């Protein structure tokens, strides 16, 4: 920018600019799952909660969890844990106003508030690709913001004679999920849904198999004391 306010940290990393709005935490919701995900062999559960159009969400849970979709203003989050598993949801949105009476505030040339020191910022620690344990400072607390999700649905016909002489169809889904780890997060590829159906006659060829074109990509968000 030709004029205005900018800050950098000691490593020279750009932090605040008078042109770009910061994302700040609008709310934290610790919510327990309320319904099972279905299937015959997976004890997973999920819950829906309201989400504004301009909000993004980072998740933290002791069991593997993921954002699975948004419908009619509701965001749905799922975990491999049973009903009652608590998922911490951190919502972030572009800053609009602040009632702070002390601290630094930065406004754009058009008068819009773009930064306020009293607001908890969306603080990225890292971007992690694939599955594994990603650990950093043990004294910090992190949540995972899903950018892309590794997802696969398999559809297998089990021939007659292997299950009591009848045909069966096994439909299963796996997805990349994140869970708590010491000083970071763990990303794992979990069985999300599994169902075996007893089929009379010929079921025809499998029809529901699919694989997402991308792997798991998560942003690691520092939510210490949030």
């Amino acid at each position: 920018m030709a004029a205005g306010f900018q800050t950098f940290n000691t490593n020279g990393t750009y932090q605040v600019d008078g042109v770009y709005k910061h994302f700040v935490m609008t709310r934290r919701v610790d919510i327990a799952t309320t319904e099972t995900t279905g299937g015959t062999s997976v004890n997973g559960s999920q819950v829906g909660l309201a989400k504004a159009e301009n909000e993004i969400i980072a998740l933290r849970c002791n069991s593997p969890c993921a954002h699975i979709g948004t419908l009619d203003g509701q965001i749905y989050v799922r975990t491999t844990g049973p009903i009652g598993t608590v998922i911490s949801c951190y919502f972030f949105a572009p800053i609009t106003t602040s009632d702070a009476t002390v601290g630094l505030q930065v406004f754009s040339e058009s008068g819009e508030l773009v930064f306020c020191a009293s607001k908890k910022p969306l603080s990225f620690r890292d971007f992690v690709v694939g599955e594994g344990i990603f650990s950093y400072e043990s004294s910090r607390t992190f949540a995972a913001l899903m950018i892309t999700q590794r997802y696969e649905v398999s559809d297998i016909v089990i021939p007659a004679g292997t299950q009591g002489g009848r045909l069966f169809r096994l439909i299963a889904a796996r997805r990349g999920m994140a869970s708590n780890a010491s000083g970071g997060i763990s990303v794992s590829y979990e069985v999300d849904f599994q169902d075996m159906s007893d089929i009379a006659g010929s079921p025809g060829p499998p029809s529901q198999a699919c694989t997402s074109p991308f792997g798991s990509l998560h942003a690691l968000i520092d939510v210490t004391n949030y």
Side-chain angles (χ1 to χ4, degrees):
M1 59 187 295
F5 181 85
Q6 288 182 325
T7 61
F8 299 83
N9 64 18
T10 55
N11 296 322
T13 302
Y14 166 79
Q15 292 183 304
V16 179
D17 190 293
V19 174
Y20 303 103
K21 282 192 173 185
H22 267 227
F23 270 68
V24 295
M25 192 176 78
T26 55
R27 56 199 169 106
R28 169 182 170 173
V29 179
D30 296 322
I31 190 167
T33 55
T34 58
E35 59 183 0
T36 61
T37 59
T40 57
S41 62
V42 177
N43 188 27
S45 58
Q46 66 185 28
V47 66
L49 63 164
K51 173 187 172 295
E53 289 187 1
N54 65 342
E55 287 182 316
I56 59 176
I57 182 174
L59 304 177
R60 179 174 170 80
C61 184
N62 287 329
S63 299
C65 69
H67 164 211
I68 63 168
T70 304
L71 180 66
D72 297 331
Q74 289 273 314
I75 186 171
Y76 292 89
V77 291
R78 181 174 295 178
T79 176
T80 59
I83 288 177
T85 300
V86 175
I87 303 175
S88 295
C89 305
Y90 301 85
F91 290 87
F92 296 88
I95 190 170
T96 55
T97 61
S98 175
D99 57 1
T101 56
V102 295
L104 175 69
Q105 291 184 328
V106 178
F107 295 82
S108 68
E109 291 185 0
S110 62
E112 286 188 295
L113 179 65
V114 297
F115 174 83
C116 180
S118 70
K119 296 290 186 179
K120 294 178 177 178
L122 176 59
S123 180
F124 293 103
R125 176 58 179 84
D126 201 359
F127 294 86
V128 296
V129 179
E131 288 77 46
I133 297 176
F134 305 93
S135 294
Y136 302 89
E137 298 86 0
S138 60
S139 61
R140 311 296 295 180
T141 302
F142 298 94
L145 190 159
M146 186 191 73
I147 299 175
T148 62
Q149 186 178 81
R150 182 182 175 194
Y151 190 70
E152 181 180 64
V153 176
S154 59
D155 184 354
I156 303 169
V157 174
I158 301 175
T162 59
Q163 294 285 339
R166 298 181 66 84
L167 287 168
F168 283 82
R169 166 167 274 163
L170 175 64
I171 300 175
R174 299 180 71 192
R175 72 172 76 235
M177 293 186 169
S179 58
N180 298 342
S182 177
I185 62 168
S186 173
V187 180
S188 53
Y189 196 40
E190 302 289 340
V191 175
D192 184 47
F193 174 87
Q194 187 164 296
D195 187 73
M196 182 179 287
S197 300
D198 184 346
I199 303 170
S202 175
S207 61
Q208 299 185 50
C210 64
T211 302
S212 61
F214 304 107
S216 297
L217 174 60
H218 289 81
L220 198 63
I221 308 301
D222 191 326
V223 292
T224 306
N225 298 322
Y226 278 27

